[in-house]
Structures are given as C-alpha cells and as structure tokens.
Amino acid sequence: LALGMLWYPFLRRLGRTAMNFILCLTIGLLLYLAVGTWLDALEFAAELPVFWQGIPLVAFVALLTLGALVAIGHRKRGAERSPLQISYLIALGIGLHNLGEGLAIGAAFSLGEAALGIFLVLGFTLHNITEGIGIVAPIMRQRPRFVHFVLLALLAGAPAMVGTWIGGFIFDPVAATVFLAIGIGAILQVIWEVGKMVVRDAAKHEESVASWPNLTGLVTGVAIMYFTAFLVKF
C-alpha cells in the first residue's frame, strides 16, 4: 500500500481530466473489492453452523453498516466531506477488506502450507500497490502533512497484519464473516463519496459524468484488480 502511495507526487502533476480518470479508476478498484469481499464473506459464512444463517447475516450487516455510515455522513447537512476525509474512508474500507486477506495468509501458515502463505503475501503485495494509488487519489490537489500518509497506510495495511495473527492462531469464522460484511458496507459508502466528487466536478464544468475518460478509468480500475488477482488465485 505504501508503495502505491508513493505515486502521490506524480499524481499532483495531472490535469483535471486525468484527475477524474484516477478517481474513476479508484471507483473501479473499490467495486472489485466490494465484490471480492462479498465472495470472501460468503466463503466464511458457509463454514458457520446453520443457525447463524450465514448469507442473510452478511447481507444484513453490510446494509446496516452502509446505512449507519450514510446517516453519519448526513449529520452535517450541507457540508461536504473534505478530500482527506474521503482518503481516510477509502483506507478504512480497504483495511477491512485486507483483514480477510490476512486471515487467508494466517490460515495457510496454520495448516503448515508455508509456501502457499509466502505466495499469498507476494501476490497480495502486488495486488495492493494499486489500492495505495486509490487511497491518495482524492488528495491529489491537497498538501496533507506527512503524518497523514503514515496513518493512511497503517489504517489500510495494519488489519492485514491483525488478520494474519487471527488466522494463524485464533481463527473465528463468525468474527471473520462479520468483519468482512462490515467491510462491504464501508466500501460501498466510499464508492458513493468518491462518485459524488466526480459528479460535482462534472456539474461544475457542465459536462457529462459518463464521459469517455471517466468510463475508461472505471473499466481500467476493475481490469487492474482483476488481472493482478491472478497472482493470488493461481
């Protein structure tokens, strides 16, 4: 994630069209993460006893999280979130997703599959570089203090470390299912916030949101996550 965030100085040189391309690319990344987190949550939910009603549990917790975050966001009516706040929301959503990746790594080592665990570490590393770019995308026109970059990296990356310990020593499918479901709701909320940035910019310049640069950025974000996932799945 930190390696991806190192692209920040380059992103600051981009023009408005390129900036919107990167923001739409971020939306594409998050869409892929939302779907991936949903599928991961369903895998863990399948391991739960029947009385937990795994799939409804995932859907309910995800919708509850999304609703709670939207309600909190509307508490200050008329005040838009700052770009830095949106970056923190992106880091939080990615962090909850990365908790699931950490669980997979820890579980591999707990089963004695050290080679698989190392392979997952390398695959997730390459996979998450793009996510680092998405975290700093909203603040391309800002100059946050260095401490914010450190906190963003920790917020997005530390859950993977925690997940690795949980998966390796005290794995609990119930907790994993709930945390991943929360991650789904958080990621959907971030998609909404980043999307509003793109919509506001298009309205300000009297342009269509569904422009070719924006659509290309969206498709590129999904494609990057899809093809880098090969490094993890195979």
Side-chain angles (χ1 to χ4, degrees):
L1 286 163
L3 290 174
M5 294 172 67
L6 289 175
W7 284 83
Y8 172 75
F10 169 77
L11 297 178
R12 286 185 50 81
R13 303 173 187 172
L14 300 179
R16 187 179 67 85
T17 300
M19 181 177 69
N20 286 332
F21 172 88
I22 296 297
L23 288 174
C24 289
L25 182 143
T26 301
I27 295 175
L29 301 177
L30 294 171
L31 282 173
Y32 186 93
L33 285 180
V35 174
T37 306
W38 167 260
L39 295 176
D40 290 340
L42 293 186
E43 288 184 12
F44 288 122
E47 300 178 9
L48 301 180
V50 177
F51 73 87
W52 282 103
Q53 304 177 63
I55 295 178
L57 175 66
V58 173
F60 176 75
V61 173
L63 291 175
L64 185 62
T65 301
L66 175 60
L69 291 175
V70 170
I72 293 172
H74 282 279
R75 185 178 297 175
K76 297 180 179 180
R77 196 168 185 85
E80 299 291 345
R81 294 185 187 274
S82 68
L84 184 59
Q85 288 176 327
I86 294 177
S87 286
Y88 272 104
L89 285 175
I90 293 175
L92 174 62
I94 290 175
L96 291 172
H97 166 80
N98 286 346
L99 177 68
E101 296 184 348
L103 290 170
I105 294 171
F109 281 109
S110 68
L111 295 174
E113 300 287 346
L116 174 60
I118 294 173
F119 183 76
L120 288 173
V121 169
L122 296 176
F124 286 138
T125 297
L126 296 175
H127 192 57
N128 287 356
I129 288 176
T130 309
E131 296 174 8
I133 297 175
I135 291 173
V136 298
I139 53 175
M140 288 186 287
R141 294 293 180 264
Q142 309 293 316
R143 288 183 177 273
R145 291 181 298 168
F146 179 76
V147 66
H148 288 296
F149 292 95
V150 176
L151 293 176
L152 287 168
L154 287 175
L155 182 59
M161 306 176 195
V162 175
T164 300
W165 282 94
I166 295 175
F169 295 102
I170 51 173
F171 177 72
D172 182 2
V174 177
T177 302
V178 171
F179 276 115
L180 289 173
I182 293 173
I184 296 169
I187 293 171
L188 291 176
Q189 161 66 358
V190 176
I191 292 173
W192 171 257
E193 294 292 341
V194 178
K196 287 198 299 184
M197 292 181 65
V198 178
V199 170
R200 285 199 304 268
D201 184 78
K204 178 180 178 181
H205 293 86
E206 299 182 349
E207 297 175 353
S208 172
V209 177
S211 63
W212 282 112
N214 291 351
L215 291 174
T216 303
L218 181 67
V219 173
T220 301
V222 174
I224 289 174
M225 295 298 285
Y226 179 81
F227 287 109
T228 55
F230 285 164
L231 299 171
V232 180
K233 302 297 182 182
F234 299 101

